[in-house]
Amino acid sequence: MSYMALYRKWRPDTFEEVKGQEHIVTTLKNQLMHDRIGHAYLFCGTRGTGKTTIAKLFARAVNCEQPVMGSPCGTCPSCRSIAEGSSMNVIEIDAASNNGVDNIREIRDEVQYSPTEGRYKVYIIDEVHMLSIGAFNALLKTLEEPPSYVIFILATTEAHKIPITILSRCQRYDFRRISVETISDRLSDLMEREGQQVEKKAVDYIARVADGSMRDALSLLDQCIAFYLGETLTYEKCLDVLGAVDIEVFIRLLKAVEEKDVTGAVDMIDDIIWQGRELGQFITDFTWFMRNLLLIKSAKESASKLDLSKENMEAMEQMADGLSLDSLMRYIRIFSELSNQIKYAGQKRVVLELAVIKLCIPEMERNYDSILQRMEELSRKVDSCMSRPVQPVAARMPEVMEAEKKEETLEDLKKTLPEATVQELQAIASRRSEVFRQLEPALSGLLRTSDVRINKEKRSIVVLLDEKNQGLLQNNEEDRKAIEDAFMKVTQRQISVEFRKQMPKGSMQQDLVRMDIFEEMNIPVEYDDN
């Protein structure tokens, strides 16, 4: 006989073997034992939770000649024929490929004939939400008042797509996701029957990856066993086959993100890709890893319910202590968005690397949680500076001491320099660029555009300001001193500077003479004829 997949080989033969759906099994068994069988059932739930399995068991149980506590005996002719798929009383229909009105009309015509053997004719319609609107309407009357020997079992993963008129005619049963512990125990039991050596940690990991689906868990286990046929299946081997990543990799990646080590984080992504890991699975696992960290950080009592080994729990608790809730929520948001983007991305690696860089550099985003994280980092830096011991001024601010020293030297220099003569002041024109370089841009522009003259009596420089140039002065005394220092450094002479308001055009200012520098700059200046 050819090989049969594990999920088909070990499909439950009795209600007692069904795991994770006790609320449904108990209800159906009570109906069978007390002869309260309904005419229409709707089984809803995610993939691999037992909808079709329980539908087939129920079909066998209602036709079983010798039921045991509501479960089929498995030995009578009716049970054997239904198990082999040769019974005419159990009709399985795939609504995805038989979704038209004509298909429903065939069912409506067939229900008129009573079963040739057994008590009931059972119609199992899988993926019933795929039926067309016309097919649903054609099914309504038959579903509402079928013959007493007909039972309809409708199975679907998307109950919200089924018309309310159909829902109201059925007994609805919602199948739950199967817990990791239940799946793990079932896999361990089956591996003992198969005689296959499997590490407990490997079984637990497969159960967690199955995401509540028993069929998915058995399919993944079947795949891993086939790859390492004849060998003991270990946790590391499961990671290799499934293209998954160990939790230690997630911890190192998150540390690199927290340290803002973009190069290290991108290098880790490169290693994961070259190891042949599946990027979609990596993103899902990393998101769940951060979700677990969030639970450990925010709700200690919930952390005990996480399916983690003692070593992993200790490592994650240590990791969570160094993270803030806002940062974790931002990381989870970015990777949750990434899990949707990666499905349709042409360059999956580029999209993943961009998301990791976003984690490292909050400045790339302008949303609320990114700004919060940047504020937290600034707060930590301020706290770090405040916690440092106060050092002597000489050790703490050498540049300040140097500036004060230069200022003292400049004051001493003023006392030793001679005063400039009128001729020396007029000769400054040839060295104007040196003076401008000594000044800030605002003061340099002030001198370039103002009417500057020489006071012969005081032997000083006079800057005549019009209404426009008066707005350039921020502080008259400080600006005047800065201009004096600039002239003094260039000429090595004591020079005083004063500001005056410019007189109206044509007014006489006999104490002032022109300064050649402004002639050369083509600035119009009013001069006395004297």
Side-chain angles (χ1 to χ4, degrees):
M1 182 179 177
S2 61
Y3 176 76
M4 184 178 291
L6 289 177
Y7 77 88
R8 293 181 59 197
K9 181 178 180 179
W10 295 106
R11 188 187 292 274
D13 292 324
T14 63
F15 283 118
E16 288 73 21
E17 291 183 6
V18 177
K19 305 299 180 182
Q21 309 297 345
E22 288 76 12
H23 62 297
I24 296 175
V25 169
T26 302
T27 305
L28 295 179
K29 286 177 66 176
N30 287 338
Q31 288 185 358
L32 290 165
M33 288 187 292
H34 296 88
D35 198 23
R36 295 176 60 88
I37 300 170
H39 68 276
Y41 296 85
L42 176 63
F43 292 168
C44 311
T46 58
R47 70 190 188 283
T49 51
K51 298 184 296 297
T52 304
T53 296
I54 290 182
K56 290 182 176 180
L57 281 174
F58 190 74
R60 289 167 59 184
V62 296
N63 288 299
C64 181
E65 298 173 6
Q66 299 171 345
V68 181
M69 297 297 292
S71 291
C73 66
T75 57
C76 67
S78 178
C79 285
R80 288 201 303 269
S81 63
I82 293 174
E84 293 169 0
S86 59
S87 174
M88 300 296 291
N89 290 348
V90 179
I91 300 97
E92 292 187 55
I93 301 171
D94 176 23
S97 55
N98 300 279
N99 57 3
V101 176
D102 293 338
N103 303 114
I104 300 302
R105 283 176 180 165
E106 291 177 8
I107 296 174
R108 197 172 60 185
D109 295 338
E110 291 174 0
V111 297
Q112 298 176 12
Y113 304 100
S114 60
T116 55
E117 58 183 13
R119 296 170 57 196
Y120 292 95
K121 181 179 285 188
V122 182
Y123 287 87
I124 301 174
I125 306 178
D126 203 6
E127 301 299 333
V128 69
H129 64 273
M130 299 291 288
L131 289 179
S132 65
I133 297 298
F136 274 125
N137 291 333
L139 183 62
L140 281 177
K141 190 61 178 177
T142 304
L143 194 64
E144 183 176 10
E145 297 178 358
S148 59
Y149 51 80
V150 173
I151 298 174
F152 285 98
I153 302 178
L154 314 179
T156 180
T157 55
E158 301 181 50
H160 61 280
K161 292 185 178 180
I162 299 177
I164 189 65
T165 50
I166 297 292
L167 293 175
S168 64
R169 287 166 168 78
C170 302
Q171 293 184 26
R172 174 171 174 167
Y173 294 88
D174 289 299
F175 285 66
R176 302 167 183 166
R177 289 179 182 269
I178 306 172
S179 67
V180 174
E181 294 80 7
T182 302
I183 295 176
S184 180
D185 292 341
R186 175 68 173 170
L187 296 184
S188 298
D189 178 53
L190 295 182
M191 288 303 96
E192 287 183 9
R193 299 189 199 180
E194 286 280 317
Q196 174 69 42
Q197 296 294 322
V198 181
E199 196 178 71
K200 181 66 167 64
K201 190 176 180 181
V203 172
D204 291 342
Y205 177 75
I206 291 174
R208 187 166 60 253
V209 172
D211 194 24
S213 170
M214 185 68 77
R215 183 173 63 235
D216 285 9
L218 288 168
S219 297
L220 292 172
L221 183 59
D222 210 353
Q223 179 182 348
C224 293
I225 292 173
F227 195 86
Y228 291 100
L229 199 60
E231 303 178 24
T232 299
L233 185 61
T234 64
Y235 173 67
E236 289 74 18
K237 291 176 180 178
C238 283
L239 294 180
D240 289 338
V241 175
L242 302 179
V245 177
D246 189 26
I247 193 172
E248 294 179 1
V249 178
F250 296 145
I251 291 175
R252 288 192 285 114
L253 177 59
L254 199 54
K255 283 183 178 178
V257 168
E258 280 294 296
E259 294 170 0
K260 304 295 183 287
D261 182 9
V262 176
T263 303
V266 173
D267 287 343
M268 289 184 65
I269 297 299
D270 183 68
D271 292 340
I272 290 168
I273 292 172
W274 280 105
Q275 290 171 12
R277 307 304 187 189
E278 206 281 311
L279 294 185
Q281 185 64 44
F282 166 76
I283 292 168
T284 301
D285 291 346
F286 190 50
T287 305
W288 274 94
F289 168 75
M290 292 187 291
R291 171 258 186 190
N292 292 341
L293 282 177
L294 185 63
L295 289 180
I296 293 172
K297 182 76 174 179
S298 59
K300 294 288 186 181
E301 60 279 2
S302 300
S304 60
K305 301 178 182 179
L306 297 177
D307 183 45
L308 296 170
S309 65
K310 182 179 179 182
E311 296 79 10
N312 288 342
M313 178 62 77
E314 291 176 354
M316 291 183 68
E317 286 177 347
Q318 184 178 0
M319 187 77 194
D321 290 339
L323 296 169
S324 68
L325 290 176
D326 291 328
S327 297
L328 274 173
M329 292 176 69
R330 174 175 169 268
Y331 299 159
I332 293 173
R333 175 184 59 78
I334 291 176
F335 261 68
S336 297
E337 294 172 355
L338 177 63
S339 63
N340 292 326
Q341 297 170 0
I342 202 76
K343 297 176 184 177
Y344 311 105
Q347 298 292 333
K348 298 182 186 296
R349 173 173 181 162
V350 176
V351 177
L352 174 58
E353 288 176 341
L354 179 60
V356 171
I357 294 172
K358 280 184 181 179
L359 297 187
C360 296
I361 309 175
E363 294 84 355
M364 292 180 66
E365 296 189 295
R366 295 291 182 267
N367 47 23
Y368 178 72
D369 51 0
S370 301
I371 294 173
L372 275 181
Q373 185 175 354
R374 292 167 63 185
M375 291 175 65
E376 286 178 4
E377 292 173 2
L378 289 174
S379 178
R380 284 197 297 266
K381 290 178 181 179
V382 171
D383 292 341
S384 176
C385 293
M386 295 294 290
S387 63
R388 294 176 186 170
V390 178
Q391 299 177 354
V393 175
R396 180 168 50 90
M397 300 178 65
E399 65 280 0
V400 174
M401 299 297 293
E402 186 67 23
E404 291 176 354
K405 184 177 178 181
K406 288 181 179 179
E407 194 170 320
E408 291 175 0
T409 304
L410 196 59
E411 291 296 327
D412 293 339
L413 182 62
K414 280 185 179 181
K415 298 176 182 178
T416 59
L417 292 177
E419 292 185 0
T421 63
V422 174
Q423 290 77 13
E424 288 174 335
L425 291 174
Q426 288 179 305
I428 293 177
S430 62
R431 306 183 68 181
R432 63 186 183 277
S433 59
E434 296 179 49
V435 176
F436 293 154
R437 282 198 297 269
Q438 298 290 331
L439 297 170
E440 295 181 355
L443 289 181
S444 176
L446 179 70
L447 283 184
R448 290 175 187 272
T449 58
S450 297
D451 186 353
V452 181
R453 298 199 183 189
I454 298 172
N455 189 324
K456 291 188 296 183
E457 296 179 0
K458 295 183 179 180
R459 286 187 290 182
S460 64
I461 293 177
V462 179
V463 181
L464 301 178
L465 302 174
D466 57 17
E467 292 182 358
K468 179 181 178 181
N469 286 347
Q470 283 179 7
L472 297 176
L473 287 177
Q474 301 297 323
N475 187 311
N476 286 9
E477 184 58 29
E478 290 183 6
D479 293 342
R480 184 190 62 77
K481 187 174 181 298
I483 295 173
E484 284 183 355
D485 292 343
F487 277 109
M488 183 188 69
K489 289 177 183 178
V490 173
T491 63
Q492 293 295 303
R493 294 288 186 272
Q494 288 191 40
I495 300 175
S496 61
V497 175
E498 60 178 306
F499 295 119
R500 291 189 190 178
K501 184 177 180 181
Q502 190 170 26
M503 303 297 290
K505 188 173 182 181
S507 300
M508 304 297 290
Q509 293 178 318
Q510 297 182 358
D511 60 330
L512 305 180
V513 297
R514 67 192 180 98
M515 191 174 185
D516 292 345
I517 181 174
F518 299 99
E519 282 281 319
E520 295 181 16
M521 294 172 63
N522 297 321
I523 296 177
V525 181
E526 295 288 338
Y527 298 114
D528 296 335
D529 294 334
N530 296 340

